[in-house]
Amino acid sequence: MKLVNAVLLATVAAGLMVSPSASAVDASRSFWDQGGAACQLSKPTIDTVVRPRATGMRNEGTVNAFVICQYASGSGLFTNAGLYVSTIDGNNHTVSCTAVVGGADNPIYSTKPVDTGTSGFQSVAWFPADFGASTNFGNYLFSVTCTLPAGTSINSVTGSYSEYVGA
């Protein structure tokens, strides 16, 4: 019996010496989501001219509206996140957006404006430094709230994150 235990112990020890060391492997992931699906009114109502459309979350009315967009990254931490806006009436508008990371007990905010221009899409993005971080920031606790002027649209939300995929 002692010989069997000694052989077993020697076999396990030899296996440990030749096994490659395990190391963490992260994969870079990116996503795009259509603004109509990713965003909603901060104060929902059924009587509104701000609505999700196939081309984004559009403010077809005459006054500003507050819209919140959720970003889902699974278990990964964002390395950047942003959104694309455009004019729907041909005029330049300034859309002001505030991103937040952290829960209700420790939120960190970063506000940025973006002009829509008079055609095409314009982007605004957040990076770790915007939240006092160096490599990444928040995941499921990340969202962006924008003051969406009349005649504007949030066309899409986007982000990149690093996700642990094993050893």
Side-chain angles (χ1 to χ4, degrees):
M1 187 66 143
K2 286 185 180 186
L3 180 58
V4 171
N5 287 342
V7 170
L8 181 61
L9 182 60
T11 303
V12 169
L16 290 174
M17 287 190 284
V18 296
S19 295
S21 61
S23 60
V25 176
D26 289 341
S28 180
R29 307 276 194 226
S30 296
F31 76 90
W32 288 81
D33 200 356
Q34 196 264 7
C39 305
Q40 62 186 353
L41 284 169
S42 292
K43 189 175 181 183
T45 178
I46 60 170
D47 183 26
T48 183
V49 291
V50 180
R51 52 183 68 111
R53 298 279 195 190
T55 56
M57 177 59 84
R58 296 167 56 107
N59 184 348
E60 298 169 351
T62 58
V63 297
N64 291 351
F66 292 100
V67 175
I68 187 168
C69 303
Q70 182 65 38
Y71 292 68
S73 69
S75 62
L77 297 172
F78 282 104
T79 53
N80 67 71
L83 53 85
Y84 286 83
V85 299
S86 68
T87 181
I88 59 175
D89 65 8
N91 296 315
N92 182 50
H93 302 276
T94 300
V95 179
S96 179
C97 297
T98 300
V100 62
V101 296
D105 59 338
N106 63 343
I108 302 170
Y109 299 94
S110 175
T111 300
K112 294 186 176 187
V114 58
D115 287 333
T116 63
T118 56
S119 65
F121 303 100
Q122 303 302 318
S123 67
V124 60
W126 288 267
F127 299 92
D130 294 317
F131 304 102
S134 59
T135 58
N136 55 51
F137 58 92
N139 53 11
Y140 60 92
L141 297 177
F142 180 77
S143 66
V144 176
T145 301
C146 297
T147 303
L148 194 61
T152 62
S153 176
I154 297 174
N155 303 92
S156 61
V157 299
T158 183
S160 296
Y161 58 96
S162 180
E163 183 175 44
Y164 176 74
V165 293

